[in-house]
Amino acid sequence: MSSDDQLDLLFDPSLISSSVQQLLGPDLHLRPLASDDVKRGHFDVLSVLTVAPRLSPKAYRENFDQLKACSGTYFIIVIVDKASDKIVASGSIIVERKFLRNAGLVGHIEDIAVSKTVQGKKLGLRIINALEEIGRARGCYKIILDCSEKNIPFYEKCGFKHKEYEMVRYM
Ligand code: ACO
């Protein structure tokens, strides 16, 4: 497995919670997304969510660079199985700056995905805990997310409560 300082990471790894890393144990590594994570099965993990066609390494890198250029906005984290150097879980928090609430910040949790083979082992919970820590460290006054009805019990276990409704219009 490559060490963090050999990788081009999306954001400063000091924002990653050391207590969440400890809970994961020595076989799993929690870190920011890296520019070459396409080769570590990022799309295999994302495919548990929805259609996620694999980008070429070049297109992946270009998309990564666009996200990284939006400083302080995109925080995508992954859990890597050290033995295989493959991603087994991922999730993101996008930090939105508003004018209201004294230019307050809202965290949007998106794309929480755990590989089918390791679901039910608290990796989803750990990803949410680590994203919450990032939101807190960045100064978000709240964190929100959209999910299906069947995932409500999972997010309640993570400490979230139901509020409002989601609307969508596909383009
Ligand atoms: N129904 C009821 N309880 C659940 C469910 C569920 N569907 N999923 C998890 N839980 C409970 C667990 O039993 C556990 O409870 P416990 O603490 O009492 O033992 C707790 O929630 C934590 O569960 P984890 O083991 O952390 O769950 P997991 O690692 O499997 O991750 C996740 C859950 C992310 C939903 C995973 O199953 C997954 O990737 N599903 C497919 C993709 C998906 O639906 N992602 C969420 C999309 S919404 C979004 O991204 C904002």
Side-chain angles (χ1 to χ4, degrees):
M1 192 196 74
S2 315
S3 68
D4 282 5
D5 48 14
Q6 294 172 303
L7 298 170
D8 178 11
L9 297 175
L10 187 59
F11 61 92
D12 182 352
S14 70
L15 277 172
I16 299 279
S17 164
S18 53
S19 55
V20 175
Q21 174 60 69
Q22 269 177 11
L23 288 167
L24 284 171
D27 299 335
L28 298 172
H29 180 51
L30 176 65
R31 63 160 169 76
L33 187 77
S35 58
D36 58 352
D37 272 342
V38 64
K39 70 181 186 194
R40 298 185 183 86
H42 190 197
F43 287 103
D44 298 334
V45 175
L46 290 177
S47 69
V48 303
L49 274 165
T50 185
V51 188
R54 189 185 154 104
L55 293 174
S56 69
K58 182 171 175 285
Y60 189 89
R61 171 85 212 206
E62 283 167 3
N63 202 45
F64 176 93
D65 288 344
Q66 298 245 10
L67 298 181
K68 194 167 177 173
C70 304
S71 174
T73 306
Y74 290 99
F75 299 88
I76 304 175
I77 60 173
V78 293
I79 296 176
V80 181
D81 172 60
K82 287 188 188 173
S84 61
D85 198 25
K86 291 288 177 205
I87 294 171
V88 292
S90 72
S92 57
I93 182 166
I94 295 120
V95 176
E96 175 203 5
R97 181 174 293 280
K98 291 190 172 287
F99 273 100
L100 46 75
R101 288 185 184 258
N102 285 320
L105 301 176
V106 175
H108 299 262
I109 283 187
E110 288 280 350
D111 300 343
I112 306 302
V114 177
S115 289
K116 280 209 168 70
T117 51
V118 290
Q119 285 179 7
K121 296 178 180 224
K122 300 274 193 280
L123 299 194
L125 175 67
R126 305 291 177 237
I127 287 274
I128 296 292
N129 293 157
L131 294 173
E132 274 183 37
E133 285 299 312
I134 292 169
R136 193 169 291 114
R138 297 300 302 168
C140 293
Y141 72 90
K142 71 173 178 183
I143 293 174
I144 56 178
L145 61 86
D146 293 327
C147 72
S148 63
E149 196 172 355
K150 79 175 170 53
N151 281 329
I152 289 175
F154 165 69
Y155 287 110
E156 285 176 339
K157 288 268 165 74
C158 295
F160 285 71
K161 61 178 184 189
H162 181 232
K163 198 183 173 204
E164 312 291 356
Y165 293 90
E166 178 195 64
M167 305 284 284
V168 65
R169 185 166 181 181
Y170 286 99
M171 300 295 163

